[in-house]
Amino acid sequence: MLYRHFTTQEEIDRAYDPMMGRDPLVLVKAWRERSEASRDRHRASHKVSLDLPYGPTLAERMDIFHADTPNAPVHVFFHGGYWRSLSHREFSFIVDDLVNAGITVAVVNYALCPQVRFSELVRQSQAAVAYVYRHAAELDVDPEQLSISGHSAGGHLCAMLMSTDWEGAFGLPNQLIRGALCISGLYDLRPFPWSWLQPKLQLSGRDVQEFSPLWLPCRVPAPIKLVAGSLEPEEFERQMSSYAEHLSQQGQTVTQQLLPDVDHFSILEHYLNDGCFVEWIKDFHGL
């Protein structure tokens, strides 16, 4: 066996193929068009800071979409792309209803594999959250009201942020995150060295051990919401359930939900039109 009951790379590839017949070029083109329209709206009202550097490398940039509320709650979003594609620029479309609810939103860019090692993706994600917390005053946000969410690979990164020893590694309080929403995340990296992704990810055995949230303690005492789509491959639901059980065993406040009639990509529509993601993030902040 390569992983669980899977005996071949082809089986693993099928089990973790989120496209399920989708055309990726059409999908990404639509995201880019919607996101550019969202940035244009926020530019017109002078309420966006684009490509704000949060670290020393070119990849370490974020777009900040500012709410009208002074000292606003702040939400930090991490995009997907299986750790090896896409950027923050495809995902501006998720911010509008959150900003309208009085929440400032940071959409984070990070370097991709194989240009950097997997560990660097995690470090940059940590650095992004640390930057928002430490620069809260100049961003006009409340550092005690910081929440996170992420989709697919971004869901994995959010889980890693919940496993970060913020006090020991950054000198920040372990309570700095008020809540996390992990959407269609991957929490056990063991299948991926046997998959088509390995030439891009170049995961070592140590990487799998150190960066699989399923095997790590959760250090941030905040509620975690896990979601997947009913039309996604079954492994996404199974990984979600396994991670939920792992968190529950540690006494973490966790909920899991399989959302009906959405796949790995249409699930992001729940950020729009006052969808459930907006309501859940507002709940993190008591709004």
Side-chain angles (χ1 to χ4, degrees):
M1 299 294 177
L2 299 181
Y3 172 69
R4 299 182 63 245
H5 60 279
F6 300 112
T7 59
T8 67
Q9 177 186 332
E10 290 74 19
E11 289 175 335
I12 291 175
D13 288 347
R14 284 195 300 271
Y16 285 93
D17 177 12
M19 283 296 169
M20 304 281 283
R22 285 266 204 165
D23 184 334
L25 296 180
V26 172
L27 182 72
V28 173
K29 181 176 183 290
W31 282 347
R32 286 175 177 156
E33 291 173 350
R34 294 167 73 185
S35 292
E36 182 60 34
S38 179
R39 289 192 296 275
D40 285 345
R41 285 193 294 274
H42 290 274
R43 283 192 194 100
S45 59
H46 306 287
K47 293 194 300 183
V48 62
S49 304
L50 297 177
D51 289 325
L52 188 70
Y54 64 84
T57 71
L58 288 175
E60 291 173 88
R61 298 290 185 269
M62 63 174 68
D63 292 345
I64 307 282
F65 298 84
H66 302 277
D68 286 331
T69 312
N71 197 38
V74 60
H75 183 74
V76 185
F77 174 82
F78 296 87
H79 71 81
Y82 258 149
W83 307 282
R84 94 303 177 207
S85 68
L86 303 178
S87 74
H88 62 323
R89 287 303 176 90
E90 285 82 30
F91 295 91
S92 306
F93 74 89
I94 65 101
V95 309
D96 290 348
D97 284 347
L98 288 168
V99 171
N100 290 338
I103 300 171
T104 290
V105 184
V107 181
V108 176
N109 193 67
Y110 51 85
L112 302 171
C113 296
Q115 285 76 26
V116 298
R117 296 300 305 267
F118 198 89
S119 57
E120 177 64 4
L121 275 70
V122 176
R123 185 205 66 78
Q124 289 185 13
S125 302
Q126 294 167 331
V129 170
Y131 177 90
V132 171
Y133 187 89
R134 287 174 170 149
H135 293 262
E138 62 195 76
L139 297 174
D140 197 18
V141 299
D142 182 352
E144 307 304 319
Q145 285 281 346
L146 186 156
S147 63
I148 62 174
S149 69
H151 172 239
S152 194
H156 162 269
L157 293 172
C158 285
M160 288 301 304
L161 294 171
M162 299 300 283
S163 291
T164 297
D165 180 4
W166 292 100
E167 185 173 348
F170 290 88
L172 299 176
N174 280 333
Q175 298 83 6
L176 84 169
I177 296 171
R178 290 292 297 264
L181 168 60
C182 302
I183 305 160
S184 303
L186 292 313
Y187 311 106
D188 181 358
L189 300 182
R190 288 180 299 167
F192 299 112
W194 305 106
S195 77
W196 67 278
L197 286 164
Q198 179 61 0
K200 293 286 188 181
L201 302 183
Q202 299 179 14
L203 287 165
S204 68
R206 182 173 179 178
D207 290 335
V208 169
Q209 182 177 3
E210 292 186 355
F211 303 119
S212 289
L214 185 61
W215 312 111
L216 300 176
C218 184
R219 300 178 184 273
V220 179
I224 300 176
K225 292 185 178 293
L226 308 177
V227 295
S230 65
L231 303 182
E232 297 192 77
E234 291 180 0
E235 276 294 283
F236 286 87
E237 179 186 2
R238 189 200 60 78
Q239 285 227 8
M240 175 181 70
S241 296
S242 295
Y243 185 50
E245 182 179 358
H246 172 68
L247 293 170
S248 182
Q249 288 173 350
Q250 297 175 69
Q252 195 77 17
T253 300
V254 56
T255 59
Q256 61 172 317
Q257 188 171 348
L258 192 67
L259 298 180
D261 303 322
V262 291
D263 64 16
H264 191 73
F265 306 103
S266 61
I267 195 169
L268 289 176
E269 300 297 317
H270 286 287
Y271 280 104
L272 310 178
N273 302 317
D274 291 320
C276 61
F277 294 170
V278 175
E279 293 304 310
W280 296 344
I281 292 165
K282 287 166 63 178
D283 285 345
F284 290 152
H285 299 287
L287 298 177

